[in-house]
Amino acid sequence: MKIEELIVNDNYALPLWEKRGLMPSPAPVIKQLENVTVNFLKSLKAINENSGLDKPSKLKSVQKLVDQLPWDDFDTEEKEFLADVIAPAIESMGFNPWAII
């Protein structure tokens, strides 16, 4: 499952910054990005596995989760990186991530 794969990945490893043509952010920022991402993905997994929610309810929950991310803590490149990391997880639930993020 895509969400679980992303939870265990090192989503912000230094080579991935270089691949994007970016200088890596400072280590504390990378750690914060990773923590925010893992917490988001764990919550997303719980929403996905909640059989008591119908698809519209799941969408609403995912939107709320995205809105609660600390976007203002990051610069533009970091925000884009975060969005690119979480997008496949949202997509794996059957939603268009770019309509949500």
Side-chain angles (χ1 to χ4, degrees):
M1 174 181 256
K2 191 66 183 171
I3 296 171
E4 293 200 17
E5 180 184 315
L6 288 168
I7 289 172
V8 298
N9 276 0
D10 185 1
N11 296 299
Y12 303 97
L14 296 182
L16 298 174
W17 291 84
E18 294 161 12
K19 188 174 166 185
R20 296 174 70 89
L22 300 174
M23 291 292 298
S25 292
V29 175
I30 293 174
K31 184 159 182 56
Q32 183 185 8
L33 277 166
E34 195 65 56
N35 289 339
V36 163
T37 301
V38 168
N39 290 335
F40 172 86
L41 292 168
K42 286 179 178 177
S43 297
L44 193 68
K45 181 180 177 201
I47 292 167
N48 193 41
E49 293 175 350
N50 185 341
S51 58
L53 293 176
D54 61 7
K55 192 150 178 132
S57 298
K58 286 184 180 184
L59 177 59
K60 193 172 190 174
S61 296
V62 171
Q63 181 66 66
K64 185 176 180 184
L65 206 54
V66 169
D67 291 345
Q68 291 173 341
L69 287 169
W71 296 106
D72 293 340
D73 290 358
F74 305 113
D75 68 24
T76 302
E77 286 84 8
E78 293 159 352
K79 288 177 191 175
E80 288 174 1
F81 203 165
L82 173 59
D84 287 346
V85 168
I86 65 172
I90 295 169
E91 195 169 38
S92 75
M93 292 178 65
F95 301 120
N96 176 358
W98 305 116
I100 297 171
I101 299 175

